Amino acid sequence: VIVIAQNFPPTNSSKNTMPLLRDLMQGDRAISPLSNNTYTVLLTILYVKICFEIASILRWRMGKRRVPRIFVHLCLSTTIFFWPLYDTTNWSWRLNCVVPCAMATRLFYKVRQ
């Protein structure tokens, strides 16, 4: 990550050391800040979903609750690494609150069933 960050200067007004997602996706067309933030939210939700599925497989294979619970806590605590990918020049950086809301809604929906 440090090598990538040195090759790309930050494009937003803050002093980020990490490039935005649109800087990493080099192409002919630059993506808008809204698209950048939407893709980052989707990437974060995908990461969380994969963590939950791996924990479910661990629980099914091991039959214990402790190891998958620790795994989930360790994995979900690393979602903070996605925060520098948000472009703060647009209002849509606030979409990062969608991830915990989506996962909480999923949890409450499963509990009620």
Side-chain angles (χ1 to χ4, degrees), residues 12-111:
N12 58 356
S13 60
S14 65
K15 303 273 191 224
N16 286 341
T17 58
M18 197 168 167
L20 297 174
L21 191 60
R22 67 177 174 198
D23 296 332
L24 295 175
M25 298 172 61
Q26 294 179 352
D28 296 334
R29 298 184 317 176
I31 59 175
S32 68
L34 177 64
S35 298
N36 178 70
N37 293 337
T38 304
Y39 292 146
T40 305
V41 165
L42 293 175
L43 183 68
T44 308
I45 289 176
L46 180 68
Y47 173 74
V48 170
K49 180 70 175 162
I50 289 171
C51 290
F52 281 153
E53 293 302 321
I54 291 173
S56 143
I57 292 170
L58 285 174
R59 169 134 187 215
W60 180 64
R61 293 221 175 159
M62 295 180 147
K64 298 179 182 177
R65 287 184 148 186
R66 185 171 185 206
V67 174
R69 184 173 49 93
I70 292 171
F71 174 77
V72 167
H73 285 128
L74 288 174
C75 287
L76 296 184
S77 66
T78 60
T79 58
I80 196 168
F81 293 121
F82 289 102
W83 288 4
L85 295 177
Y86 288 99
D87 188 354
T88 57
T89 60
N90 192 352
W91 65 268
S92 61
W93 69 271
R94 293 180 180 96
L95 289 173
N96 62 2
C97 69
V98 168
V99 178
C101 292
M103 294 302 124
T105 303
R106 179 178 175 256
L107 175 67
F108 294 140
Y109 180 70
K110 274 186 122 174
V111 169

